[in-house]
Amino acid sequence: MSENGSKLIELPGSITVRDLAQRMEASPIQIIKILMSNGVMANINQLIDFDTASIVASEMGFETKSEVYEITEEQEPGEMPFWRQLLAKEDASRLVDRAPVVTILGHVDHGKTTLLDAIRHTNVAGGEAGGITQHIGAYQVEHKGKAITFLDTPGHAAFTSMRSRGAQGADIVVLVVAANDGVMPQTREAIAHAKAARVPIIVAMNKIDRPDANPDFTKKQLSESGLVPDDWDGDTIVVPVSAKQKQGIEDLLEAILLVADNIDIKANPDGKLFGTVIEAKVERAKGVVVNMLVYNGTLEPGDIIVAGRAYGRIRAMFDFRGRKLKKAGPSTPVQLMGMNEVPSAGDIFLKFSTEREARALVEERALAIQQHTAAAPKATLEELFAKVQSGEVHELRLVVKADVQGSLEPIISSLNELGKGDIKINILHAEAGNISESDIMLATASHAIVVGFNVQADAAARRNAEAEGVSIRLYNIIYRLTEDIEKAMKGLLEPEIKENTLGTGVVLATFKISKVGAIAGCRVTSGEFRRNAKVRLRREGTIVFEGEFSSLKHEKEDVREVRNGFECGAGFRNYNDFAVGDQIECYLLERATG
Ligand code: GDP
């Protein structure tokens, strides 16, 4: 307690919303709301600086003080990731060397994926080139007899702050900078994340094979961004590589080991077990599959662990080659089965001695979240619109996710166009990638709805959206998306409609009948066709028509339905261009429940 009775907390130079909430024992949503009322749009994984965090803390009755770190010359102050705090509690005399954990960051298209592939193919531990049978979010290679663990989280990872998480979860960041393109926005962002997480950076200056590569200019830009190359008397190692031609890979690995030697990369294999979730999903045959990285201790099948709101006893454990593992020590990536739910990427996992304790913790966490969000207002598109109309809200807030950056741009520009009228459209967050838990958190806190184009909502996001009453609307045709939003703004939005497929069929022959038009002779190949249902015609996968039947006949008789395996003659209203081989889908539009 400080003198005036308020509580005192120490804050680092920057902190994620989630961690700030944890430190104040508050809900992340509460923090996001306070940030919003101060004009800062943040999601749960976002890093906010000390000053911003202090404002939030003081609104919540805390007094703040700057956390003191021992800062080495080359590193700026930043947040100490939770796992490092745990590691710091280990008995120093029991610590042994472990493989450095490396993450590759950099601007899009600068060659991260190609570099990860090149490293994997040249140096997979044990010399089995290309011997990786499955992707588990990380792999290990060997260089001069020493192991290095690479985090291999794909670019489309389902969490927003992958770059921040990646930096936080690693010992070393390899920053890929294309020598023909130089330092770009995401390069700068990666540098900031690495610095905030106090993780040393090695630059892989990629694409040196290209005729337009300009190493000197790139080095100059790097220097301006605070990474002065060692051959320019700075202390950042810059390794020229060509990921495509697999050149410079050994030098890069050498540099990683060199940097690793300079920082203590240790853990206690017999100590407290903890690690982090790299990614997790549900697979039909295996159930919940979780990819994890062990930081400390040794993980074994039969262990009971908790990660986020999931717990379970480990049934089976595999390495990145798909081989069964009996033990996984520090810096080992593993895939495991046996958890009851899908935890979130970045969740720290801990071991418990009984399932009862593990369950109790998870229930406690779930309850805390429930209590904080029970009063959260619902945000469906219809309700939002009602508020817009009644003058309560003057803008429609959206979180937009799309499969690729290329599809985001036209969506955003059409939405902005729509928002030029009386009702504004406020796009709080737009990004390529699946809809994640943090998107829902942001939508909840800001009464927004989430729209997705060619993406899905991951399990944690769906669960969260259901609990919070946040509307997720998914589209795979851009104009449908904009049309819906436009309708919502005009008050014409119909309740969310779900498509229920009745049957499919194929066109076997086409006929022209005078005064009637074109008729398709077809066979129903699954389910059934119904005369009063909707139809869709696809040619080589592309939709060429959507509408209704004008006629449906079986052996010259008008019929109401045709079942699987039977042939029929079908006419579509206002459509005459059938072709043999066209696929027909017959479906009903139903009002979605819930
Ligand atoms: P990412 O978005 O950073 O993962 O980039 P990718 O690994 O997908 O690479 C983007 C593009 O650059 C691809 O077309 C690669 O083939 C190409 N590329 C990557 N590395 C090199 C390289 O060393 N030389 C050349 N010429 N092209 C490269």
Side-chain angles (χ1 to χ4, degrees):
M1 289 271 173
S2 67
E3 282 166 18
N4 60 14
S6 60
K7 293 163 281 180
L8 185 70
I9 51 165
E10 291 192 354
L11 293 175
S14 62
I15 186 166
T16 63
V17 170
R18 186 195 294 272
D19 293 340
L20 179 60
Q22 220 163 36
R23 289 194 189 194
M24 297 195 292
E25 293 178 352
S27 109
I29 292 181
Q30 238 174 319
I31 313 283
I32 291 172
K33 281 187 179 163
I34 295 176
L35 283 169
M36 277 196 322
S37 65
N38 284 289
V40 179
M41 289 297 168
N43 67 44
I44 186 165
N45 296 315
Q46 199 144 328
L47 278 175
I48 53 175
D49 61 18
F50 175 84
D51 292 341
T52 314
S54 295
I55 293 172
V56 175
S58 74
E59 284 201 22
M60 296 190 62
F62 286 87
E63 199 167 297
T64 58
K65 187 177 139 196
S66 178
E67 198 170 78
V68 188
Y69 279 126
E70 264 181 51
I71 301 158
T72 56
E73 265 174 16
E74 72 271 22
Q75 288 174 342
E76 290 180 8
E79 178 189 20
M80 169 103 88
F82 184 51
W83 64 275
R84 288 197 183 280
Q85 296 174 27
L86 289 176
L87 209 50
K89 290 184 188 149
E90 282 294 317
D91 177 356
S93 68
R94 311 283 310 271
L95 297 179
V96 297
D97 283 344
R98 62 180 169 85
V101 175
V102 180
T103 189
I104 297 194
L105 303 178
H107 197 70
V108 64
D109 275 346
H110 278 199
K112 297 178 290 296
T113 316
T114 314
L115 184 61
L116 277 163
D117 283 348
I119 296 168
R120 187 181 358 227
H121 281 101
T122 42
N123 292 76
V124 157
E128 291 171 42
I132 298 177
T133 51
Q134 57 173 6
H135 172 88
I136 67 164
Y139 62 79
Q140 272 193 334
V141 301
E142 230 174 71
H143 181 73
K144 297 199 173 150
K146 287 189 172 167
I148 305 172
T149 301
F150 280 90
L151 287 171
D152 187 12
T153 32
H156 58 265
F159 49 107
T160 342
S161 61
M162 191 191 67
R163 287 183 282 277
S164 136
R165 282 277 176 79
Q168 288 198 7
D171 298 304
I172 295 170
V173 163
V174 168
L175 180 67
V176 177
V177 186
N180 63 323
D181 209 16
V183 171
M184 298 301 278
Q186 284 171 16
T187 320
R188 285 194 203 93
E189 194 192 315
I191 296 172
H193 284 313
K195 287 202 166 159
R198 313 195 333 145
V199 175
I201 299 172
I202 296 171
V203 175
M205 188 162 60
N206 194 27
K207 306 199 186 186
I208 45 152
D209 59 292
R210 285 182 59 125
D212 58 349
N214 192 342
D216 279 342
F217 181 68
T218 307
K219 284 184 187 174
K220 182 167 165 284
Q221 282 187 316
L222 284 167
S223 305
E224 286 162 7
S225 304
L227 300 178
V228 183
D230 51 354
D231 56 351
W232 287 15
D233 286 338
D235 38 34
T236 302
I237 303 182
V238 178
V239 187
V241 298
S242 165
K244 199 169 178 179
Q245 300 186 349
K246 299 192 172 62
Q247 279 172 21
I249 307 296
E250 301 292 327
D251 296 342
L252 179 63
L253 298 177
E254 189 72 38
I256 290 170
L257 290 180
L258 193 74
V259 170
D261 272 347
N262 278 325
I263 46 176
D264 263 353
I265 300 185
K266 294 185 184 303
N268 177 4
D270 305 314
K272 187 178 164 66
L273 177 77
F274 58 84
T276 191
V277 174
I278 306 172
E279 55 196 11
K281 57 181 182 281
V282 179
E283 279 184 17
R284 193 169 295 182
K286 298 180 187 161
V288 176
V289 176
V290 188
N291 298 332
M292 296 187 160
L293 177 68
V294 179
Y295 284 131
N296 197 62
T298 301
L299 189 65
E300 294 174 26
D303 281 351
I304 296 158
I305 56 171
V306 169
R309 284 161 69 184
Y311 75 96
R313 182 188 292 270
I314 298 172
R315 269 196 280 122
M317 210 162 79
F318 299 90
D319 70 3
F320 60 87
R321 288 200 195 84
R323 292 192 304 216
K324 234 182 177 131
L325 280 184
K326 290 218 170 71
K327 281 179 191 304
S331 297
T332 313
V334 292
Q335 176 164 83
L336 55 88
M337 286 104 207
M339 299 205 80
N340 69 331
E341 293 237 18
V342 179
S344 299
D347 280 346
I348 295 291
F349 71 82
L350 297 165
K351 181 176 162 175
F352 283 78
S353 44
T354 66
E355 220 155 313
R356 199 160 47 89
E357 277 174 272
R359 191 169 45 235
L361 175 66
V362 167
E363 279 167 5
E364 203 176 292
R365 285 181 178 174
L367 193 69
I369 291 174
Q370 223 173 29
Q371 280 168 351
H372 282 300
T373 54
K378 306 265 180 202
T380 67
L381 197 48
E382 298 85 4
E383 279 153 344
L384 261 179
F385 182 73
K387 287 199 179 137
V388 171
Q389 271 200 325
S390 65
E392 243 179 280
V393 179
H394 299 282
E395 62 178 21
L396 213 50
R397 294 181 180 160
L398 304 174
V399 173
V400 184
K401 299 299 286 275
D403 51 347
V404 289
Q405 194 65 27
S407 36
L408 265 182
E409 281 148 21
I411 294 171
I412 291 172
S413 66
S414 344
L415 288 174
N416 284 337
E417 202 54 37
L418 282 178
K420 284 188 174 158
D422 291 343
I423 302 166
K424 299 275 169 286
I425 286 187
N426 183 354
I427 301 173
L428 300 178
H429 179 65
E431 198 190 35
N434 275 342
I435 295 166
S436 66
E437 200 179 359
S438 62
D439 296 323
I440 306 298
M441 288 286 205
L442 179 60
T444 308
S446 48
H447 306 192
I449 64 155
V450 183
V451 290
F453 175 73
N454 275 343
V455 292
Q456 292 181 333
D458 65 35
R462 278 201 304 272
R463 201 169 47 219
N464 217 308
E466 217 163 276
E468 309 291 349
V470 169
S471 207
I472 301 180
R473 295 180 86 104
L474 301 175
Y475 302 87
N476 44 27
I477 300 174
I478 292 185
Y479 80 77
R480 285 264 158 76
L481 185 161
T482 48
E483 200 177 66
D484 250 19
I485 301 298
E486 193 177 7
K487 279 185 186 163
M489 295 173 77
K490 288 187 182 150
L492 299 171
L493 191 82
E494 283 153 20
E496 206 165 345
I497 299 292
K498 210 171 62 186
E499 197 175 299
N500 183 6
T501 304
L502 290 175
T504 57
V506 61
V507 177
L508 303 175
T510 65
F511 310 95
K512 286 259 188 306
I513 298 176
S514 60
K515 292 197 188 127
V516 175
I519 296 291
C522 16
R523 177 182 295 125
V524 180
T525 50
S526 74
E528 61 178 33
F529 283 4
R530 266 188 229 164
R531 170 76 170 80
N532 60 359
K534 300 259 179 207
V535 283
R536 176 178 297 131
L537 196 69
R538 282 183 201 268
R539 192 162 299 154
E540 281 157 14
T542 311
I543 298 170
V544 291
F545 175 76
E546 277 180 319
E548 288 150 4
F549 285 112
S550 56
S551 69
L552 185 64
K553 286 177 192 278
H554 176 61
E555 296 181 348
K556 297 193 179 145
E557 293 289 319
D558 278 316
V559 288
R560 267 198 280 187
E561 57 193 38
V562 183
R563 291 186 182 281
N564 185 15
F566 288 94
E567 292 184 0
C568 57
F572 289 177
R573 182 157 296 142
N574 300 326
Y575 188 76
N576 285 313
D577 297 323
F578 295 107
V580 171
D582 285 354
Q583 306 284 325
I584 298 176
E585 282 160 39
C586 181
Y587 60 96
L588 290 177
L589 291 179
E590 291 171 345
R591 188 182 276 223
T593 48

